[in-house]
Amino acid sequence: MVQKFRKKIIAGNWKMNKSVAEAEDLASGIRRALAEVADVDVVLCPPFTATKVVGDIIADTAIKLGAQNMHWEGYGAYTGEVCAAMLRDLYCHYVILGHSERRMYFHETDEVVNRKIKAALEGNLIPIVCVGETQEEREAEQTEEVVGRQLRNGLVDLSGDLKKLVIAYEPVWAIGTGLTASPQQAQDVHAFIRGVLQEVFDEDTAQSIRIQYGGSMKPANAVELLAQPDIDGGLIGGAALDARSFTEIVQAAQ
Ligand code: PEP
């Protein structure tokens, strides 16, 4: 097996937080601290309403813009939705898909996630595909079954440059709870995910795809998590809402 170098990627998922003015403040703070960072990919995913203002603030830096969701169709009568081309129009490079909150509250199935991934790739966006088990599923020792199913169903029939895909392992029980998977627990699932990626794609692709950990990652636990061989970055919720803690996590990845 050829061990590949994978550049770390830290993405902030701001969820349904921040007014336009607050987003401007946060993005400006992050820009001041991280505009020059080149050895880690940094991605900000504000709410749709702040996408334009955040994009303008980071426009001439290496920091990239992402969205938190999109529709799989290219246009049409889908009230309240946005499509890949609209996100590209605002200079988004990434889009988070299949977040557990979308699966839980908006009933997104693996099939829906698969359609969105295909549309994102066709629309020249890099999908950050979220997978992860609930507390009950972990206790019932179903973590691999659940994560394996989400990956096999979500990643079926894809084409294009699949090495640029990003997977986020986010144990649902660790999201926003203050509970974090231990570095070993996270590493075990990340290694499992890489094995599934090899089955679904091929070894070279599996070794190239970056797998982020998400679930209460903070400056205090980031170094240890990011030191694991199959943890290639973080998808950050709560700690991404503050310029200082987000910056410290990016520094931990350097
Ligand atoms: C997330 O929702 O993607 C996440 C990781 O949230 P938090 O960091 O707040 O647990």
Side-chain angles (χ1 to χ4, degrees), residues 17 33 39 45 135 143-144 176-177 215 229:
N17 295 295
D39 49 356
C45 303
Q135 177 81 53
T143 299
E144 293 193 353
T177 57

Side-chain angles (χ1 to χ4, degrees), residues 13 15 99 101 170 174-177 214-217 235-239:
N13 174 11
K15 307 194 185 184
H99 191 282
E101 288 152 13
E170 299 209 303
I175 294 179
T177 57
S216 300
M217 193 188 266
L235 181 55
I236 320 299

Side-chain angles (χ1 to χ4, degrees), residues 1-213:
M1 181 185 72
V2 185
Q3 188 67 46
K4 288 249 178 184
F5 169 76
R6 294 181 292 271
K7 188 177 182 184
K8 296 257 193 302
I9 174 167
I10 303 290
N13 174 11
W14 297 4
K15 307 194 185 184
M16 196 171 72
N17 295 295
K18 304 292 179 189
S19 65
V20 171
E22 289 166 345
E24 215 170 337
D25 264 8
L26 178 54
S28 303
I30 292 170
R31 183 201 154 98
R32 272 194 296 279
L34 299 176
E36 308 297 328
V37 170
D39 49 356
V40 176
D41 286 336
V42 179
V43 183
L44 304 183
C45 303
F48 288 137
T49 46
T51 306
K52 172 84 174 81
V53 74
V54 171
D56 286 347
I57 290 168
I58 60 175
D60 58 346
T61 73
I63 304 170
K64 295 283 193 279
L65 191 60
Q68 300 173 20
N69 181 36
M70 55 166 261
H71 197 271
W72 61 84
E73 291 293 349
Y75 62 91
Y78 299 99
T79 302
E81 295 288 332
V82 302
C83 65
M86 292 170 177
L87 298 177
R88 285 297 311 184
D89 229 10
L90 293 177
Y91 304 102
C92 284
H93 278 78
Y94 293 84
V95 59
I96 299 171
L97 295 175
H99 191 282
S100 62
E101 288 152 13
R102 302 257 1 138
R103 293 177 188 262
M104 204 175 348
Y105 303 131
F106 302 97
H107 313 292
E108 286 193 7
T109 60
D110 293 340
E111 196 215 339
V112 164
V113 176
N114 176 248
R115 291 166 90 166
K116 291 185 176 195
I117 297 169
K118 286 178 179 161
L121 289 169
E122 276 163 23
N124 206 18
L125 288 164
I126 301 177
I128 298 178
V129 181
C130 303
V131 297
E133 80 289 0
T134 63
Q135 177 81 53
E136 296 73 47
E137 289 162 344
R138 175 160 281 265
E139 280 166 9
E141 298 183 8
Q142 292 168 345
T143 299
E144 293 193 353
E145 189 186 318
V146 171
V147 170
R149 192 197 61 227
Q150 290 171 333
L151 288 168
R152 289 186 186 96
N153 294 343
L155 303 179
V156 72
D157 289 338
L158 301 187
S159 54
D161 179 10
L162 303 178
K163 291 181 185 170
K164 68 182 185 185
L165 273 176
V166 177
I167 307 293
Y169 168 57
E170 299 209 303
V172 179
W173 49 272
I175 294 179
T177 57
L179 298 173
T180 316
S182 70
Q184 192 57 55
Q185 277 175 324
Q187 165 57 28
D188 289 347
V189 183
H190 281 233
F192 169 76
I193 289 173
R194 206 171 300 286
V196 176
L197 294 176
Q198 181 165 334
E199 253 174 57
V200 175
F201 304 130
D202 54 67
E203 185 181 337
D204 189 35
T205 306
Q207 286 298 321
S208 302
I209 289 177
R210 293 175 295 177
I211 308 174
Q212 297 175 308
Y213 169 79

